[in-house]
Amino acid sequence: MTKITNEEVKKVAHLARLELNEDEINNHAEQLEKILEYIKQLEKIDTNDVPCTTRAIEVTNVFRKDEKKNSDCSEELLALGPSREDKYFKVPKIISE
């Protein structure tokens, strides 16, 4: 595998609109080299018998069935408000005519 050069890091930084000083360029080159070495190790793993997946833990829906219910809790809800008038919440007027 070829070594990641400072010129390649500068090119990628330019494309990403990043301003890097020489220390950062050297540091990123070393880190990218280590990442690529790790990927090379992962490529050696035999994954032929491993099924494809999109997440580590399988997710299933636990929704209940939608059922129509008749409920009239309007009086309880209106009682929670600070003020009411008939079947409505009463609020202060905020728009002048």
Side-chain angles (χ1 to χ4, degrees), residues 32-44:
L32 287 169
E33 188 66 32
K34 288 178 183 178
I35 291 169
L36 292 176
E37 287 175 13
Y38 182 68
I39 290 172
K40 192 171 184 179
Q41 289 177 6
L42 292 176
E43 288 175 344
K44 295 178 184 177

Side-chain angles (χ1 to χ4, degrees), residues 5-79:
T5 65
N6 288 356
E7 295 306 315
E8 291 171 321
V9 174
K10 287 178 185 177
K11 181 179 179 182
V12 172
H14 174 73
L15 293 172
R17 306 292 192 261
L18 298 174
E19 291 183 24
L20 301 176
N21 61 37
E22 282 302 315
D23 290 336
E24 291 172 323
I25 291 171
N26 292 331
N27 188 28
H28 288 307
E30 291 173 15
Q31 289 178 355
L32 287 169
E33 188 66 32
K34 288 178 183 178
I35 291 169
L36 292 176
E37 287 175 13
Y38 182 68
I39 290 172
K40 192 171 184 179
Q41 289 177 6
L42 292 176
E43 288 175 344
K44 295 178 184 177
I45 298 172
D46 180 21
T47 58
N48 290 330
D49 295 331
V50 178
C52 295
T53 182
T54 57
R55 51 182 57 91
I57 299 172
E58 190 59 37
V59 177
T60 56
N61 288 337
V62 290
F63 298 122
R64 63 173 169 75
K65 183 179 176 187
D66 286 338
E67 296 175 353
K68 181 179 174 182
K69 292 183 179 180
N70 291 329
S71 82
D72 184 21
C73 57
S74 57
E75 284 300 319
E76 295 171 23
L77 294 173
L78 286 168

Side-chain angles (χ1 to χ4, degrees), residues 75-88:
E75 284 300 319
E76 295 171 23
L77 294 173
L78 286 168
L80 296 173
S83 179
R84 69 182 268 192
E85 188 172 303
D86 297 325
K87 295 191 273 182
Y88 306 100

